[in-house]
Amino acid sequence: MMDLTGYMTINGTDIWTEYGVFLGEIEAGGHVNMDALLRVPKAKEITKVDFRERTGVELPDNPNVKLSSIERTLQFWLRSNNKYNRLQKYQEFMSLITSGMLTISIKDYRTYKMVYQDMPIEPDWYVSYEGDRFYAFFQVKFLEPQPSI
């Protein structure tokens, strides 16, 4: 049995122990979540001067790069022992992630300050072959308004 305790917290709550939720992929070897978490935001426009008489453009001596906000879409799985508990945990998790600015910490990596934006696709609901595990798969789009690296 997998134990993802402490891997990801939202506002100090361990989402695995509280909701049975974890970051997950839909295919073996997938890396959608890591791609979203590691993506560096686009740089804001740098002031430049474009003289017709000169080749190229002129930039300030120190262009002091600033980052734009970035959207990060993460994939989650929720696991439960029965369909009623699955729905309850799903609703509780959705209440947490739509509660405002979130502090999302990934173990051994970094902490993000993000806010819920959208659920790009409807959730998928699954039952194990044995009928003793109930799953939900869903994606959530967050906005990191003041990103860091």
Side-chain angles (χ1 to χ4, degrees):
M1 183 172 187
M2 68 179 171
D3 183 10
L4 298 170
T5 302
Y7 178 71
M8 182 176 183
T9 62
I10 298 178
N11 291 350
T13 299
D14 186 316
I15 64 170
W16 171 249
T17 57
E18 187 70 24
Y19 307 105
V21 171
F22 57 98
L23 287 176
E25 301 294 333
I26 53 175
E27 54 188 52
H31 46 83
V32 170
N33 286 315
M34 288 311 294
D35 289 350
L37 291 167
L38 294 173
R39 186 167 164 230
V40 176
K42 179 180 174 182
K44 288 187 173 184
E45 186 75 24
I46 297 172
T47 303
K48 54 188 172 229
V49 180
D50 190 1
F51 291 104
R52 165 72 185 100
E53 304 78 22
R54 299 181 189 162
T55 300
V57 296
E58 290 186 16
L59 298 177
D61 290 338
N62 180 4
N64 195 9
V65 174
K66 298 294 182 193
L67 301 176
S68 295
S69 63
I70 185 171
E71 292 178 344
R72 300 185 188 278
T73 301
L74 302 177
Q75 298 181 151
F76 295 94
W77 283 93
L78 182 151
R79 186 179 84 173
S80 180
N81 293 329
N82 67 64
K83 64 182 178 181
Y84 305 107
N85 183 261
R86 172 182 60 181
L87 182 58
Q88 178 185 356
K89 294 296 186 187
Y90 174 79
Q91 290 170 329
E92 290 171 358
F93 183 70
M94 289 299 130
S95 291
L96 171 68
I97 66 170
T98 58
S99 65
M101 186 57 70
L102 305 172
T103 301
I104 300 175
S105 296
I106 310 294
K107 184 179 180 181
D108 299 329
Y109 185 53
R110 69 170 267 226
T111 297
Y112 298 81
K113 295 290 276 181
M114 297 195 287
V115 65
Y116 172 85
Q117 283 216 294
D118 188 21
M119 182 177 275
I121 61 171
E122 65 279 351
D124 288 321
W125 307 91
Y126 301 95
V127 179
S128 66
Y129 291 116
E130 301 80 14
D132 62 347
R133 295 275 186 220
F134 296 79
Y135 298 91
F137 172 79
F138 50 96
Q139 294 179 345
V140 177
K141 181 173 28 171
F142 296 98
L143 174 69
E144 188 178 7
Q146 297 171 335
S148 60
I149 296 178

Short mmCIF file of all heavy atoms in Angstrom, two decimals, residues 37-83:
data_model
loop_
_atom_site.label_atom_id
_atom_site.label_comp_id
_atom_site.label_asym_id
_atom_site.label_seq_id
_atom_site.Cartn_x
_atom_site.Cartn_y
_atom_site.Cartn_z
N LEU A 37 5.17 22.12 -12.62
CA LEU A 37 5.81 22.68 -11.43
C LEU A 37 7.18 23.28 -11.73
O LEU A 37 7.61 24.24 -11.08
CB LEU A 37 5.95 21.62 -10.34
CG LEU A 37 4.62 21.16 -9.72
CD1 LEU A 37 4.83 19.91 -8.89
CD2 LEU A 37 4.00 22.28 -8.89
N LEU A 38 7.89 22.74 -12.70
CA LEU A 38 9.25 23.20 -13.01
C LEU A 38 9.30 24.29 -14.07
O LEU A 38 10.35 24.90 -14.28
CB LEU A 38 10.12 22.02 -13.45
CG LEU A 38 10.38 20.97 -12.37
CD1 LEU A 38 11.10 19.76 -12.96
CD2 LEU A 38 11.18 21.56 -11.22
N ARG A 39 8.21 24.53 -14.75
CA ARG A 39 8.19 25.53 -15.82
C ARG A 39 8.51 26.91 -15.25
O ARG A 39 7.92 27.36 -14.27
CB ARG A 39 6.83 25.54 -16.50
CG ARG A 39 6.79 26.45 -17.68
CD ARG A 39 5.54 26.21 -18.51
NE ARG A 39 5.37 27.33 -19.40
CZ ARG A 39 4.25 28.00 -19.53
NH1 ARG A 39 3.19 27.66 -18.87
NH2 ARG A 39 4.19 29.03 -20.35
N VAL A 40 9.45 27.60 -15.89
CA VAL A 40 9.83 28.96 -15.49
C VAL A 40 8.91 29.94 -16.24
O VAL A 40 8.72 29.81 -17.44
CB VAL A 40 11.31 29.24 -15.83
CG1 VAL A 40 11.69 30.67 -15.49
CG2 VAL A 40 12.21 28.25 -15.09
N PRO A 41 8.35 30.90 -15.53
CA PRO A 41 7.44 31.85 -16.16
C PRO A 41 8.12 32.70 -17.23
O PRO A 41 9.34 32.88 -17.22
CB PRO A 41 6.98 32.75 -15.01
CG PRO A 41 7.33 32.02 -13.77
CD PRO A 41 8.49 31.13 -14.09
N LYS A 42 7.32 33.22 -18.10
CA LYS A 42 7.77 34.14 -19.13
C LYS A 42 8.29 35.42 -18.46
O LYS A 42 7.76 35.86 -17.44
CB LYS A 42 6.58 34.46 -20.04
CG LYS A 42 6.88 35.41 -21.16
CD LYS A 42 5.61 35.63 -21.99
CE LYS A 42 5.84 36.70 -23.01
NZ LYS A 42 4.64 36.97 -23.80
N ALA A 43 9.33 36.02 -19.06
CA ALA A 43 9.85 37.30 -18.56
C ALA A 43 8.94 38.43 -19.04
O ALA A 43 8.37 38.37 -20.13
CB ALA A 43 11.26 37.53 -19.07
N LYS A 44 8.82 39.46 -18.20
CA LYS A 44 8.08 40.64 -18.61
C LYS A 44 8.86 41.37 -19.69
O LYS A 44 10.09 41.23 -19.80
CB LYS A 44 7.84 41.56 -17.41
CG LYS A 44 6.82 41.02 -16.44
CD LYS A 44 6.51 42.06 -15.39
CE LYS A 44 5.36 41.60 -14.52
NZ LYS A 44 4.97 42.62 -13.55
N GLU A 45 8.16 42.16 -20.47
CA GLU A 45 8.77 42.93 -21.55
C GLU A 45 9.86 43.85 -20.99
O GLU A 45 9.66 44.52 -19.98
CB GLU A 45 7.68 43.77 -22.24
CG GLU A 45 8.15 44.49 -23.47
CD GLU A 45 8.32 43.59 -24.68
OE1 GLU A 45 7.68 42.53 -24.74
OE2 GLU A 45 9.11 43.97 -25.55
N ILE A 46 11.01 43.84 -21.64
CA ILE A 46 12.12 44.71 -21.25
C ILE A 46 12.07 45.96 -22.11
O ILE A 46 11.88 45.87 -23.34
CB ILE A 46 13.48 43.98 -21.43
CG1 ILE A 46 13.55 42.78 -20.50
CG2 ILE A 46 14.64 44.94 -21.19
CD1 ILE A 46 14.75 41.89 -20.72
N THR A 47 12.22 47.12 -21.49
CA THR A 47 12.21 48.38 -22.24
C THR A 47 13.40 48.38 -23.19
O THR A 47 14.55 48.14 -22.77
CB THR A 47 12.30 49.58 -21.28
OG1 THR A 47 11.20 49.49 -20.36
CG2 THR A 47 12.25 50.89 -22.03
N LYS A 48 13.12 48.62 -24.46
CA LYS A 48 14.19 48.66 -25.46
C LYS A 48 13.99 49.84 -26.39
O LYS A 48 12.88 50.35 -26.53
CB LYS A 48 14.26 47.35 -26.23
CG LYS A 48 12.98 46.92 -26.87
CD LYS A 48 13.10 45.53 -27.45
CE LYS A 48 11.74 45.05 -27.90
NZ LYS A 48 11.38 43.77 -27.46
N VAL A 49 15.08 50.26 -26.99
CA VAL A 49 15.05 51.38 -27.94
C VAL A 49 15.50 50.83 -29.29
O VAL A 49 16.52 50.16 -29.40
CB VAL A 49 15.97 52.53 -27.49
CG1 VAL A 49 15.93 53.67 -28.49
CG2 VAL A 49 15.60 53.01 -26.11
N ASP A 50 14.68 51.12 -30.32
CA ASP A 50 14.94 50.58 -31.65
C ASP A 50 15.16 51.75 -32.63
O ASP A 50 14.21 52.32 -33.15
CB ASP A 50 13.76 49.72 -32.10
CG ASP A 50 14.04 48.94 -33.36
OD1 ASP A 50 15.16 49.03 -33.91
OD2 ASP A 50 13.13 48.21 -33.81
N PHE A 51 16.45 52.12 -32.79
CA PHE A 51 16.79 53.19 -33.72
C PHE A 51 16.86 52.64 -35.13
O PHE A 51 17.50 51.62 -35.37
CB PHE A 51 18.15 53.81 -33.36
CG PHE A 51 18.14 54.59 -32.07
CD1 PHE A 51 18.71 54.05 -30.92
CD2 PHE A 51 17.59 55.86 -32.03
CE1 PHE A 51 18.71 54.78 -29.73
CE2 PHE A 51 17.59 56.59 -30.84
CZ PHE A 51 18.15 56.05 -29.70
N ARG A 52 16.26 53.31 -36.06
CA ARG A 52 16.29 52.90 -37.46
C ARG A 52 17.73 52.90 -37.99
O ARG A 52 18.10 52.05 -38.78
CB ARG A 52 15.41 53.89 -38.29
CG ARG A 52 15.61 53.84 -39.78
CD ARG A 52 15.01 52.56 -40.38
NE ARG A 52 15.29 52.45 -41.79
CZ ARG A 52 16.26 51.71 -42.32
NH1 ARG A 52 17.07 51.02 -41.55
NH2 ARG A 52 16.44 51.64 -43.62
N GLU A 53 18.56 53.81 -37.50
CA GLU A 53 19.92 53.96 -38.01
C GLU A 53 20.90 52.95 -37.43
O GLU A 53 22.05 52.90 -37.84
CB GLU A 53 20.45 55.37 -37.71
CG GLU A 53 19.60 56.51 -38.23
CD GLU A 53 18.36 56.78 -37.36
OE1 GLU A 53 18.35 56.41 -36.17
OE2 GLU A 53 17.39 57.35 -37.89
N ARG A 54 20.48 52.14 -36.46
CA ARG A 54 21.39 51.19 -35.81
C ARG A 54 20.89 49.77 -35.97
O ARG A 54 19.69 49.52 -36.06
CB ARG A 54 21.52 51.50 -34.31
CG ARG A 54 22.08 52.89 -34.05
CD ARG A 54 22.22 53.13 -32.58
NE ARG A 54 22.57 54.53 -32.31
CZ ARG A 54 22.43 55.11 -31.17
NH1 ARG A 54 21.94 54.44 -30.14
NH2 ARG A 54 22.77 56.37 -30.99
N THR A 55 21.82 48.85 -35.95
CA THR A 55 21.47 47.43 -36.04
C THR A 55 20.94 46.94 -34.69
O THR A 55 21.49 47.29 -33.65
CB THR A 55 22.72 46.60 -36.43
OG1 THR A 55 23.20 47.06 -37.69
CG2 THR A 55 22.39 45.12 -36.52
N GLY A 56 19.89 46.16 -34.72
CA GLY A 56 19.35 45.58 -33.50
C GLY A 56 18.63 46.61 -32.64
O GLY A 56 18.15 47.63 -33.13
N VAL A 57 18.57 46.33 -31.35
CA VAL A 57 17.94 47.23 -30.39
C VAL A 57 18.90 47.49 -29.24
O VAL A 57 19.84 46.73 -29.02
CB VAL A 57 16.62 46.65 -29.83
CG1 VAL A 57 15.58 46.48 -30.91
CG2 VAL A 57 16.84 45.34 -29.10
N GLU A 58 18.65 48.57 -28.50
CA GLU A 58 19.45 48.86 -27.32
C GLU A 58 18.64 48.53 -26.08
O GLU A 58 17.45 48.84 -25.99
CB GLU A 58 19.85 50.34 -27.31
CG GLU A 58 20.87 50.69 -28.37
CD GLU A 58 21.38 52.11 -28.26
OE1 GLU A 58 21.18 52.75 -27.19
OE2 GLU A 58 21.95 52.59 -29.24
N LEU A 59 19.33 47.87 -25.14
CA LEU A 59 18.72 47.51 -23.86
C LEU A 59 19.41 48.28 -22.75
O LEU A 59 20.54 48.73 -22.91
CB LEU A 59 18.88 46.01 -23.60
CG LEU A 59 18.22 45.05 -24.57
CD1 LEU A 59 18.56 43.61 -24.19
CD2 LEU A 59 16.72 45.24 -24.58
N PRO A 60 18.78 48.40 -21.60
CA PRO A 60 19.48 48.99 -20.46
C PRO A 60 20.74 48.16 -20.14
O PRO A 60 20.80 46.97 -20.46
CB PRO A 60 18.47 48.88 -19.31
CG PRO A 60 17.15 48.65 -19.96
CD PRO A 60 17.42 47.99 -21.27
N ASP A 61 21.73 48.79 -19.49
CA ASP A 61 22.96 48.07 -19.15
C ASP A 61 22.66 46.83 -18.30
O ASP A 61 23.28 45.80 -18.44
CB ASP A 61 23.94 48.98 -18.42
CG ASP A 61 24.54 50.05 -19.35
OD1 ASP A 61 24.53 49.82 -20.59
OD2 ASP A 61 24.99 51.09 -18.84
N ASN A 62 21.71 46.95 -17.38
CA ASN A 62 21.28 45.82 -16.57
C ASN A 62 19.78 45.65 -16.78
O ASN A 62 18.98 46.34 -16.16
CB ASN A 62 21.59 46.04 -15.09
CG ASN A 62 21.14 44.87 -14.24
OD1 ASN A 62 20.67 43.86 -14.75
ND2 ASN A 62 21.27 45.01 -12.94
N PRO A 63 19.35 44.72 -17.66
CA PRO A 63 17.93 44.59 -17.99
C PRO A 63 17.03 44.13 -16.83
O PRO A 63 15.83 44.13 -16.97
CB PRO A 63 17.90 43.57 -19.12
CG PRO A 63 19.28 43.30 -19.50
CD PRO A 63 20.19 43.87 -18.49
N ASN A 64 17.58 43.73 -15.69
CA ASN A 64 16.81 43.41 -14.49
C ASN A 64 15.51 42.66 -14.82
O ASN A 64 14.42 43.20 -14.71
CB ASN A 64 16.51 44.68 -13.70
CG ASN A 64 16.04 44.37 -12.28
OD1 ASN A 64 16.09 43.23 -11.84
ND2 ASN A 64 15.57 45.38 -11.58
N VAL A 65 15.64 41.42 -15.22
CA VAL A 65 14.53 40.58 -15.65
C VAL A 65 13.51 40.39 -14.51
O VAL A 65 13.89 40.08 -13.38
CB VAL A 65 15.04 39.21 -16.15
CG1 VAL A 65 13.90 38.27 -16.45
CG2 VAL A 65 15.94 39.39 -17.37
N LYS A 66 12.25 40.58 -14.82
CA LYS A 66 11.14 40.34 -13.91
C LYS A 66 10.22 39.29 -14.55
O LYS A 66 10.03 39.29 -15.76
CB LYS A 66 10.33 41.61 -13.63
CG LYS A 66 11.14 42.71 -12.97
CD LYS A 66 11.57 42.30 -11.58
CE LYS A 66 12.33 43.43 -10.91
NZ LYS A 66 13.02 43.01 -9.72
N LEU A 67 9.65 38.43 -13.72
CA LEU A 67 8.82 37.35 -14.23
C LEU A 67 7.34 37.73 -14.24
O LEU A 67 6.87 38.44 -13.36
CB LEU A 67 9.01 36.10 -13.37
CG LEU A 67 10.44 35.57 -13.27
CD1 LEU A 67 10.49 34.39 -12.31
CD2 LEU A 67 10.96 35.18 -14.64
N SER A 68 6.63 37.23 -15.24
CA SER A 68 5.18 37.39 -15.30
C SER A 68 4.53 36.34 -14.41
O SER A 68 5.17 35.37 -14.00
CB SER A 68 4.69 37.18 -16.73
OG SER A 68 5.18 38.19 -17.58
N SER A 69 3.26 36.51 -14.12
CA SER A 69 2.52 35.46 -13.41
C SER A 69 2.47 34.23 -14.32
O SER A 69 2.71 34.33 -15.52
CB SER A 69 1.12 35.95 -13.07
OG SER A 69 0.40 36.21 -14.25
N ILE A 70 2.15 33.07 -13.73
CA ILE A 70 2.12 31.85 -14.52
C ILE A 70 0.96 30.96 -14.06
O ILE A 70 0.65 30.91 -12.87
CB ILE A 70 3.46 31.08 -14.44
CG1 ILE A 70 3.46 29.86 -15.36
CG2 ILE A 70 3.81 30.71 -13.00
CD1 ILE A 70 4.81 29.19 -15.51
N GLU A 71 0.33 30.31 -15.02
CA GLU A 71 -0.70 29.33 -14.71
C GLU A 71 -0.04 27.95 -14.67
O GLU A 71 0.78 27.62 -15.52
CB GLU A 71 -1.79 29.35 -15.78
CG GLU A 71 -2.60 30.62 -15.76
CD GLU A 71 -3.67 30.68 -16.84
OE1 GLU A 71 -3.60 29.87 -17.81
OE2 GLU A 71 -4.55 31.53 -16.74
N ARG A 72 -0.42 27.17 -13.66
CA ARG A 72 0.12 25.82 -13.50
C ARG A 72 -1.06 24.87 -13.35
O ARG A 72 -1.84 24.98 -12.41
CB ARG A 72 1.02 25.73 -12.28
CG ARG A 72 2.23 26.68 -12.34
CD ARG A 72 3.16 26.46 -11.16
NE ARG A 72 4.22 27.45 -11.09
CZ ARG A 72 5.34 27.41 -11.79
NH1 ARG A 72 5.57 26.43 -12.64
NH2 ARG A 72 6.26 28.36 -11.64
N THR A 73 -1.20 23.93 -14.30
CA THR A 73 -2.27 22.94 -14.24
C THR A 73 -1.71 21.64 -13.69
O THR A 73 -0.78 21.07 -14.25
CB THR A 73 -2.90 22.72 -15.63
OG1 THR A 73 -3.42 23.98 -16.10
CG2 THR A 73 -4.03 21.70 -15.57
N LEU A 74 -2.28 21.20 -12.58
CA LEU A 74 -1.84 19.98 -11.91
C LEU A 74 -2.90 18.91 -12.00
O LEU A 74 -4.09 19.19 -12.04
CB LEU A 74 -1.51 20.27 -10.44
CG LEU A 74 -0.45 21.34 -10.19
CD1 LEU A 74 -0.27 21.58 -8.69
CD2 LEU A 74 0.88 20.93 -10.82
N GLN A 75 -2.45 17.65 -12.01
CA GLN A 75 -3.33 16.49 -12.08
C GLN A 75 -3.36 15.81 -10.72
O GLN A 75 -2.31 15.53 -10.15
CB GLN A 75 -2.82 15.48 -13.12
CG GLN A 75 -2.77 16.03 -14.50
CD GLN A 75 -2.30 15.01 -15.51
OE1 GLN A 75 -2.68 15.09 -16.65
NE2 GLN A 75 -1.47 14.06 -15.13
N PHE A 76 -4.55 15.53 -10.23
CA PHE A 76 -4.72 14.89 -8.94
C PHE A 76 -5.51 13.60 -9.08
O PHE A 76 -6.40 13.49 -9.92
CB PHE A 76 -5.49 15.81 -7.98
CG PHE A 76 -4.76 17.06 -7.61
CD1 PHE A 76 -4.97 18.24 -8.31
CD2 PHE A 76 -3.88 17.08 -6.54
CE1 PHE A 76 -4.32 19.41 -7.95
CE2 PHE A 76 -3.22 18.24 -6.17
CZ PHE A 76 -3.44 19.41 -6.87
N TRP A 77 -5.19 12.67 -8.20
CA TRP A 77 -6.00 11.47 -7.99
C TRP A 77 -6.51 11.51 -6.56
O TRP A 77 -5.81 11.98 -5.66
CB TRP A 77 -5.16 10.20 -8.17
CG TRP A 77 -4.89 9.86 -9.59
CD1 TRP A 77 -3.80 10.22 -10.32
CD2 TRP A 77 -5.71 9.08 -10.45
NE1 TRP A 77 -3.90 9.73 -11.60
CE2 TRP A 77 -5.07 9.02 -11.70
CE3 TRP A 77 -6.95 8.45 -10.29
CZ2 TRP A 77 -5.61 8.33 -12.78
CZ3 TRP A 77 -7.48 7.77 -11.37
CH2 TRP A 77 -6.82 7.72 -12.60
N LEU A 78 -7.71 11.00 -6.34
CA LEU A 78 -8.27 10.85 -5.02
C LEU A 78 -8.62 9.38 -4.86
O LEU A 78 -9.21 8.78 -5.77
CB LEU A 78 -9.53 11.71 -4.88
CG LEU A 78 -10.25 11.71 -3.53
CD1 LEU A 78 -10.94 13.05 -3.33
CD2 LEU A 78 -11.24 10.59 -3.38
N ARG A 79 -8.24 8.79 -3.74
CA ARG A 79 -8.50 7.37 -3.48
C ARG A 79 -9.34 7.23 -2.22
O ARG A 79 -9.07 7.89 -1.21
CB ARG A 79 -7.20 6.60 -3.33
CG ARG A 79 -7.42 5.10 -3.19
CD ARG A 79 -6.12 4.38 -3.08
NE ARG A 79 -5.70 4.42 -1.68
CZ ARG A 79 -4.65 3.76 -1.22
NH1 ARG A 79 -3.90 3.06 -2.03
NH2 ARG A 79 -4.33 3.84 0.05
N SER A 80 -10.33 6.35 -2.27
CA SER A 80 -11.21 6.12 -1.12
C SER A 80 -11.64 4.66 -1.07
O SER A 80 -11.50 3.93 -2.04
CB SER A 80 -12.44 7.03 -1.23
OG SER A 80 -13.30 6.83 -0.13
N ASN A 81 -12.20 4.26 0.07
CA ASN A 81 -12.67 2.88 0.25
C ASN A 81 -14.13 2.69 -0.13
O ASN A 81 -14.59 1.55 -0.22
CB ASN A 81 -12.46 2.43 1.70
CG ASN A 81 -10.99 2.32 2.02
OD1 ASN A 81 -10.16 2.03 1.15
ND2 ASN A 81 -10.64 2.57 3.27
N ASN A 82 -14.89 3.78 -0.31
CA ASN A 82 -16.27 3.63 -0.77
C ASN A 82 -16.69 4.88 -1.54
O ASN A 82 -16.07 5.94 -1.41
CB ASN A 82 -17.23 3.31 0.38
CG ASN A 82 -17.38 4.46 1.35
OD1 ASN A 82 -17.87 5.52 0.98
ND2 ASN A 82 -16.94 4.25 2.60
N LYS A 83 -17.74 4.75 -2.34
CA LYS A 83 -18.12 5.85 -3.23
C LYS A 83 -18.65 7.06 -2.47
O LYS A 83 -18.51 8.19 -2.92
CB LYS A 83 -19.10 5.38 -4.29
CG LYS A 83 -20.43 4.91 -3.80
CD LYS A 83 -21.28 4.42 -4.97
CE LYS A 83 -22.62 3.89 -4.47
NZ LYS A 83 -23.42 3.41 -5.60
#
